[in-house]
Amino acid sequence: MGFFDKAKRFLGLTDEEGDDDPTGASASSEATPAADAQRAPSRARGGRGRPARDLPPAASSGPSLDDALAAREGGDRATARRILAEIDKGSGLRTLLRAAAALEDADEDEARSLLPAIAAEEPAWRVPLQVAAALGDERGVPWLDVARAGGAPGWATAWAAALVGDAQGRRRGLVELLFADAALARTVAARDLSVPGAVVDAEAAQRYASFAHGRDTIRRFGAGAVAEALARARGERP
């Protein structure tokens, strides 16, 4: 059995489906089932260095990030900015989105007040990787390099590499992810790449949701605008 045949079997593909190109699709699958969220964290190799959970906060009576994104999607950018300012805690993804919205409206004063916190964000690799994956094309490759330089763990860079760049690079990233974290590789193949026959691994679902939540939020806001804000915060344009 050849190398790629073994890789396909690890990903949960049947022999009939094994010849399909796993990089040709980009649609996500259904949301994580509630039962999956109750499963214990994965015991697979490579557990160290994984980010803390970054799931959406529990519902509250106040405005939420989803409210801000919905207002933006409805064309009400002023309301979106007001909500982002209200829910911003001074760091993290909300601060970055707030800066991106300010730059879109040419509000340089607000943007400058936010950029230092964005530049100091830790871990330094997380947001660049989420931006790379949200862009989902060749524009994401430089951000992948930024994340590697910032000390991103192998499983994270392999995941992002499976979603950006050309078909050969994506396939290589998926194979790298297979060896770094087989359970997560199966989940990425099923959810992000829509590989026929690939099945979500229940133990990897929580780790997938942790990283993918930020990526999907950036994509929903507008990955190009977020990338611009991150570049400004870093004092460069990748």
Side-chain angles (χ1 to χ4, degrees), residues 65-84 101 104-105 221:
L65 179 56
D66 187 69
D67 293 329
L69 295 173
R72 179 179 173 84
E73 291 165 346
D76 191 352
R77 295 199 335 196
T79 295
R81 286 189 62 188
R82 177 182 57 78
I83 294 174
L84 286 170
E104 279 187 326
D105 289 346
F221 182 95

Side-chain angles (χ1 to χ4, degrees), residues 35-53:
D36 288 350
Q38 304 301 318
R39 299 293 295 268
S42 173
R43 294 179 295 276
R45 292 181 301 163
R48 294 183 180 179
R50 293 186 179 124
R53 294 185 65 186

Side-chain angles (χ1 to χ4, degrees), residues 10 23 26-28 30 37 56 67-68 73 76 94 106 108 135 171 176 184 193 208 215 222-223 225 229 238:
F10 272 113
T23 66
S26 60
S28 298
E30 296 293 327
D67 293 329
E73 291 165 346
D76 191 352
R94 297 178 186 185
E108 290 288 338
L135 287 167
R171 182 177 285 107
E176 289 175 0
L184 185 58
L193 304 176
Y208 175 91
R215 177 203 63 189

Side-chain angles (χ1 to χ4, degrees), residues 21-200:
D21 180 1
T23 66
S26 60
S28 298
S29 64
E30 296 293 327
T32 303
D36 288 350
Q38 304 301 318
R39 299 293 295 268
S42 173
R43 294 179 295 276
R45 292 181 301 163
R48 294 183 180 179
R50 293 186 179 124
R53 294 185 65 186
D54 189 23
L55 300 177
S60 66
S61 58
S64 67
L65 179 56
D66 187 69
D67 293 329
L69 295 173
R72 179 179 173 84
E73 291 165 346
D76 191 352
R77 295 199 335 196
T79 295
R81 286 189 62 188
R82 177 182 57 78
I83 294 174
L84 286 170
E86 185 174 343
I87 65 177
D88 180 18
K89 296 181 179 179
S91 64
L93 184 56
R94 297 178 186 185
T95 302
L96 178 57
L97 298 184
R98 185 182 172 193
L103 287 173
E104 279 187 326
D105 289 346
D107 188 345
E108 290 288 338
D109 289 339
E110 178 166 308
R112 278 195 296 268
S113 72
L114 301 170
L115 295 180
I118 297 169
E121 189 71 26
E122 293 291 342
W125 55 266
R126 176 192 266 276
V127 173
L129 272 189
Q130 289 174 328
V131 168
L135 287 167
D137 54 28
E138 294 289 345
R139 296 172 298 164
V141 175
W143 288 113
L144 183 58
D145 294 336
V146 168
R148 286 193 179 104
W155 67 267
T157 56
W159 181 357
L163 305 178
V164 303
D166 59 22
Q168 182 178 2
R170 291 185 180 208
R171 182 177 285 107
R172 183 167 56 248
L174 186 59
V175 173
E176 289 175 0
L177 180 58
L178 170 65
F179 285 98
D181 192 326
L184 185 58
R186 289 192 293 271
T187 301
V188 169
R191 291 184 176 272
D192 291 335
L193 304 176
S194 298
V195 176
V199 179
V200 172

